[in-house]
Amino acid sequence: MKINVAVDGPAGAGKSTLAKAAAKELGFIYVDTGALYRSIAYYVIKKGADPKSAEQVVPLLDEINPELRYTDGVQHVFVNGEDVSGLIRTPEISMGASGVSAIPQVREFLFKLQKDIAAENNIIMDGRDIGTVVLPHAQVKVYLTASDKVRADRRYKELCEKGQAPSYDEVLADIRQRDYNDMNRDISPLRQAEDAVLLDTSDDTLEQALQRLVSLIKEKM
Ligand code: DC
């Protein structure tokens, strides 16, 4: 029986940074499911289609083969054999991913891929619906969050470090818009699973948040 840890929460809560570091410490595989939704958005946008339009997106699913591959424990996302890992981290793709993720056929399309990885490996999987829908029987469930201002602050610094020059107000507005989209869509909306532990990292340094997350996982394992 493999150990499955589900980490859900809103955009910019530090899920990927923390889940990745915790996985390394525990010797687990880290699975970033947002990257899968982003890879669909990437393909759809490249084709000139509207990520929010089910009518335009659904027919394209037949042409998309998303894959997760791991090199030295690091996740790479491939679309039809192309490594798109670096290309899917832009504000346009973030919003596009939020758009395609509200389409039921897209969620269904990615469901089996996520289930299969979890069945075969000890994993920490992060996303929006992992504890509620994808892995309802995960041994450990965490709902990771922080205030929207703290999350916008972190995202702003991250984008600046990557050499992008965003406006802080836009980053905050984007976070709020994505929270709204992710929490209010009809299918698999973001919410804390009943049996998930709430971890609010607004007042934590990265190291403090990581230690809280790792202790929590060890306690429940
Ligand atoms: O975690 P992220 O920012 O990379 O996710 C991008 C978008 O994908 C996010 O706005 C909502 C969607 N998503 C989802 O609906 N379900 C998941 N399990 C992961 C991401």
Side-chain angles (χ1 to χ4, degrees), residues 8-9 128-129 131-133 143 182-183 188-194:
D8 291 299
R128 303 293 187 288
D129 62 336
T132 49
V133 177
Y143 190 84
D182 296 347
M183 290 172 183
S188 305
L190 169 65
R191 61 176 180 80
Q192 184 180 342
E194 271 171 27

Side-chain angles (χ1 to χ4, degrees), residues 8-9 11-12 15 32-35 37-38 89 93-95 97-99 101-102 107 114 126-130 134 155 178 181-182 185 188:
D8 291 299
K15 294 187 302 293
D32 165 11
T33 63
Y37 291 90
R38 286 170 183 270
R89 302 287 158 196
I93 301 287
S94 298
M95 207 52 84
S98 193
S101 72
R107 304 202 73 82
Q114 298 170 79
D126 88 22
R128 303 293 187 288
D129 62 336
I130 309 304
V134 179
R155 189 47 58 92
R178 281 218 284 152
N181 293 352
D182 296 347
R185 64 180 177 226
S188 305

